[in-house]
């Protein structure tokens, strides 16, 4: 395996290991996700993005009367960089990820972090990857209006307030209202005249992209070219290695606690229990807007939280494998290959969609579109000699068919495989 190293990635690994240890202790899904997002933020600040690319946070002050609040009651918001030249009437939106909270306890904790409160968010962030304004790093979208939507509701922008204030705890579950308020404000400052638009998001933000893709399409002008890009947002409904439906229970809790059902596709909730419709596999065929999926075949978040959650008892033998795919023994690799096969099988119908695009690389990573190193650089992961940025551009502009599926691990030497054991 090629092991590209750069300073940022090393820092990421170092910090993440400590947090992984905390995660292993018990709070795995919540803490791990927070550490992933916060440290990858630092990681991106170490990238080669020009230093003048710091983009300020804009709170949604105008939406205050709509009660669009983060979990703790603070104002949500976004970062916007204006487009220029021929990109002035084109918009790329990127929804931040960061897992979900599924209980009063985990949402109360999240309230004290930037994933639940803008009081803890950075005043400015660097834009890279799909948000980069450097044409060598972002060949097709560099001059577009670029927006990073901050995630602070804990429910993939899908919660409804009628489920609030349980057991005397003050928590705002207003993901859906936040979504509407952000889009409303962007419409008022130019999005309503967009000629081209791309809604994207990573992880829980990728799931939000899937959930809101068609309503985004509907509010934009009929003659605009509107598409959606989902990065590591295709969470599989699979049992864990011990045979328990861990992620299904977790999603059930999120959907019930935050009242998510009303935001989910009606053609799904009419035939299944609402929480099942939080799984993309149950509603992807109901999405009418063209979609592109960037999904690693060995998504480390899914391996660490869906397939092998926790680390005690019979799962002890998995600890090293969960930290570094190169440490997996042959039996464990078989389990991982089965997991990838489930993904490919589940995506079989989507593969037939003539307007769809996909990039399913055999890497041990999670989000790949918002970091220049994995989006588009000389050493980025490739399939069929294309970077993710090239494949997404081919699909968006109808230049080429863009359905790329990698050969199984460990065949692709261009992967960034995360190694959480490296210090
Ligand atoms: C509220 O408290 C009751 C009794 O302690 C408990 O059974 C229930 O699960 C709690 N509800 C939530 C949403 O945490
Ligand atoms: C791969 O793509 C690069 C850049 O587009 C090109 O220069 C190179 O010739 C391609 N290599 C192969 C083997 O097709």
């Amino acid at each position: 395996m090629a092991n590209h190293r750069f300073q940022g990635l090393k820092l990421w690994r170092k910090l993440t290991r400590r947090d992984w240890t905390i995660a292993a202790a018990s709070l795995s899904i919540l803490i791990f996700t927070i550490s992933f997002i916060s440290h990858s933020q630092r990681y991106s600040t170490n990238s080669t993005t020009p230093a003048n690319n710091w983009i300020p946070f804009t709170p949604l002050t105008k939406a205050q009367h709509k009660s669009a609040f983060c979990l703790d009651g603070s104002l949500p918001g976004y970062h916007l960089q204006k487009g220029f030249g021929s990109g002035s009437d084109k918009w790329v939106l990127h929804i931040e990820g960061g897992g979900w909270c599924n209980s009063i306890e985990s949402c109360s904790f999240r309230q004290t972090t930037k994933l639940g409160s803008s009081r803890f968010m950075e005043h400015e962030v660097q834009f890279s990857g799909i948000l980069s304004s450097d044409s060598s790093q972002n060949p097709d979208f560099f001059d577009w209006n670029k927006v990073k939507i901050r995630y602070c509701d804990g429910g993939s922008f899908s919660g409804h307030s009628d489920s609030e204030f349980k057991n005397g705890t003050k928590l705002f579950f207003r993901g859906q209202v936040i979504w509407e308020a952000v889009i409303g404000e962007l419409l008022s400052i130019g999005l309503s005249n967009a000629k081209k638009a791309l809604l994207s998001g990573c992880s829980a933000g990728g799931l939000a992209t899937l959930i809101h893709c068609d309503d985004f399409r509907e509010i934009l002008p009929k003659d605009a070219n509107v598409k959606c890009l989902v990065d590591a947002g295709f969470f599989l409904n699979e049992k864990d290695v011990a045979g328990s439906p861990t992620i299904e229970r977790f999603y059930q809790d999120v959907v019930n606690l935050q009242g998510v059902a009303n935001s989910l596709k009606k053609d799904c909730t009419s035939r299944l229990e609402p929480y099942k419709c939080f799984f993309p596999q149950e509603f992807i065929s109901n999405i009418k807007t063209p979609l592109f999926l960037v999904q690693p075949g060995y998504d480390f978040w899914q391996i660490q939280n869906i397939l092998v959650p926790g680390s005690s008892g019979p799962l002890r033998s998995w600890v090293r494998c969960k930290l570094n795919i190169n440490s997996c023994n042959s039996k464990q690799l078989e389990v991982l290959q089965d997991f990838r096969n489930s993904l490919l099988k589940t995506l079989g119908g989507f593969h037939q969609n003539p307007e769809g695009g996909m990039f399913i690389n055999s890497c041990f990573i999670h989000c790949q579109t918002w970091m220049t190193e994995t989006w588009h650089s000389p050493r980025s992961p490739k399939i069929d000699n294309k970077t993710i940025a090239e494949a997404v551009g081919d699909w968006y502009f109808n230049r080429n068919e863009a359905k790329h599926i990698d050969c199984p691990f460990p065949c692709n030497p261009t992967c960034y495989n995360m190694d959480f054991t490296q210090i």
Side-chain angles (χ1 to χ4, degrees), residues 197-210:
L198 177 61
L199 175 65
S200 73
C202 119
S203 195
L207 179 59
T209 301
L210 281 163

Side-chain angles (χ1 to χ4, degrees), residues 140 375-376 382 385-395 399:
D140 287 308
W375 170 247
H376 188 68
K382 294 191 182 76
N385 198 31
K386 301 256 187 201
T387 63
I388 295 171
E390 288 166 339
V392 170
D394 282 352
W395 159 81
R399 289 192 295 244

